[in-house]
Amino acid sequence: MQRWAILAALTVARIAMAVQFQSIAALAPQMSLQFGLGFAAIGTLAGIYLLPGAIAALFGGWAGQRIGDIRTALGGLMLMALGGFAGALVSGFEAQLFARLVAGVGAVALNVMLTKMAGDWFQGRSDLPAAMGILVSSWPAGLALAMLIMPYLSDTVSLSILLMLPATLSLLAFAILGFVWRAPFVDPKGVASVGQGLGLTRAEWILIGTAGAIWGLYNVAFIAVITWSADKLIEGGLDAVTASAAGSLIGWAAIFSVAAGGMLARSLPRPDGTALGCFILSCAALLIFAHSGAWTGHPAVMLALGIVIGPAAAMVMTLSIEATRADVRAFGMGVYWAIYYALMGVAPALLGALRDGTDQVAAPLSLAAGIMGLCAVLWVVFRGLQRRILPRTAP
């Protein structure tokens, strides 16, 4: 029972991270009006939150080992709170950019630790896939919460107060995690020596790089759908609040479809066809959504998008495990997450610039569709490389 209480605390912390990340996109119309920011500037504020992870992910494990995982996680939540409150109290773009950077550094430190802390409690247990599925699903849950609640409150609550809400949630997560956390007992015989097996082979560099690219690009496409779906629906005639609420349905559906994908990844010995099918269906669905009329705002359509897009997440995560040996997997995961953070850091600004440059609401969504198609291609590339350079581990 204790491990599930701890998992719940870790999940709340990850939801706080997702809410803070998505808060800029959720309040984009209000920030554009009050601060005079263009879509590219708003995209930069969103992207800078995860950009530090391109470097910090490689060293997050060191911090956890040096000062302890719980201290690193709590320190990350505190930086998220400080950056969030600072961003709510300043108006200049440069000052807000710095505040988001501070919060993002904290978020990276937190995220590096969360999976490790959950894994310590559930390792070797049959319910490990379920636990990790819940933790992964907390990200789309936080995105959906931000898109549902914050635009709704914007009619009655000032922008500065709204920007403080994610910081307040970070403090709440800090209190819950600090109260609930207990370090699990770890058998010393099952722990590798510090510094052992840190070097990746050339084959592992190639495979983990390809896997990281797939994971990063998949998440870029997913965030693009969450962020720009409301823009598309507003063009179709919905008001901003209704459009944001409808767009949040994608995230709500993804919460369950990601978990379903985890069950598929666990039960299917060769989930390649399912993963490729998800990517191809996602590509087609996004193209239809981007270039169709107002009917695409129907709740059933938005739910269908989330159901189609979500399942691939758990399947992509399995690639990082297949790409490296167990004794170098920790460093390999650092490389994997560094690629993810780099892509997630620059992509929102590029998507915003695309929206500004084309003045077409369909442009970011069309690019997201293309990215899903690219993920399918890279999946095939990964399997081909795996069979060529690691024939004994390829499925």
Side-chain angles (χ1 to χ4, degrees):
M1 190 66 181
Q2 185 180 30
R3 66 183 181 276
W4 290 105
I6 288 173
L7 179 67
L10 298 174
T11 300
V12 169
R14 200 161 191 265
I15 288 175
M17 176 185 170
V19 168
Q20 190 171 61
F21 170 76
Q22 193 65 13
S23 61
I24 297 299
L27 297 172
Q30 293 80 6
M31 295 186 68
S32 178
L33 180 64
Q34 183 163 328
F35 298 139
L37 300 178
F39 288 110
I42 292 173
T44 301
L45 285 175
I48 197 67
Y49 188 78
L50 296 182
L51 190 59
I55 298 174
L58 297 174
F59 301 99
W62 174 87
Q65 180 178 334
R66 184 72 176 177
I67 66 174
D69 46 15
I70 184 60
R71 292 187 180 92
T72 303
L74 293 177
L77 284 165
M78 187 55 64
L79 285 176
M80 287 167 57
L82 291 174
F85 284 122
L89 298 174
V90 298
S91 57
F93 174 72
E94 292 78 8
Q96 287 191 343
L97 196 66
F98 180 75
R100 284 284 289 184
L101 181 63
V102 171
V105 169
V108 170
L110 173 68
N111 198 38
V112 169
M113 289 294 102
L114 288 180
T115 304
K116 188 261 183 189
M117 293 164 75
D120 285 348
W121 268 98
F122 285 87
Q123 63 179 344
R125 301 185 61 89
S126 61
D127 50 8
L128 174 63
M132 301 309 291
I134 291 172
L135 192 64
V136 171
S137 298
S138 62
W139 177 256
L143 300 181
L145 279 172
M147 293 300 294
L148 178 65
I149 295 175
M150 301 189 80
Y152 176 77
L153 294 176
S154 64
D155 288 338
T156 56
V157 180
S158 68
L159 180 59
S160 60
I161 296 297
L162 286 174
L163 290 173
M164 290 184 185
L165 290 181
T168 304
L169 182 57
S170 298
L171 289 180
L172 176 62
F174 179 98
I176 294 173
L177 185 58
F179 178 77
V180 171
W181 175 256
R182 297 293 183 273
F185 171 77
V186 179
D187 186 357
K189 295 180 181 179
V191 179
S193 300
V194 175
Q196 178 181 356
L198 295 179
L200 298 176
T201 65
R202 179 175 176 272
E204 287 170 328
W205 275 106
I206 294 172
L207 289 175
I208 199 66
T210 306
I214 297 172
W215 180 237
L217 289 170
Y218 167 80
N219 279 275
V220 165
F222 182 79
I223 291 297
V225 178
I226 293 289
T227 300
W228 297 102
S229 59
D231 198 24
K232 166 67 177 176
L233 298 178
I234 290 172
E235 185 191 52
L238 297 181
D239 62 84
V241 174
T242 303
S244 293
S248 73
L249 293 175
I250 299 172
W252 291 115
I255 296 170
F256 301 100
S257 63
V258 167
M263 297 301 296
L264 286 173
R266 180 186 180 189
S267 60
L268 295 178
R270 300 192 180 196
D272 289 3
T274 304
L276 290 173
C278 288
F279 288 136
I280 294 170
L281 283 175
S282 297
C283 177
L286 287 175
L287 285 175
I288 294 172
F289 176 66
H291 298 283
S292 297
W295 63 269
T296 54
H298 191 280
V301 175
M302 310 309 290
L303 289 171
L305 278 175
I307 291 171
V308 168
I309 293 172
M315 301 175 197
V316 175
M317 286 297 289
T318 65
L319 299 184
S320 63
I321 305 301
E322 298 178 29
T324 56
R325 293 162 290 146
D327 58 346
V328 295
R329 189 162 295 144
F331 182 69
M333 288 299 293
V335 175
Y336 179 83
W337 281 105
I339 295 171
Y340 161 86
Y341 279 121
L343 289 170
M344 288 290 286
V346 301
L350 294 177
L351 288 164
L354 178 65
R355 174 66 175 87
D356 281 337
T358 62
D359 197 29
Q360 297 291 323
V361 297
L365 295 169
S366 297
L367 181 57
I371 290 172
M372 285 294 187
L374 179 58
C375 286
V377 173
L378 288 176
W379 186 285
V380 174
V381 170
F382 179 92
R383 288 304 190 204
L385 290 170
Q386 189 182 33
R387 292 186 179 96
R388 179 180 177 185
I389 59 184
L390 294 177
R392 287 180 297 176
T393 60

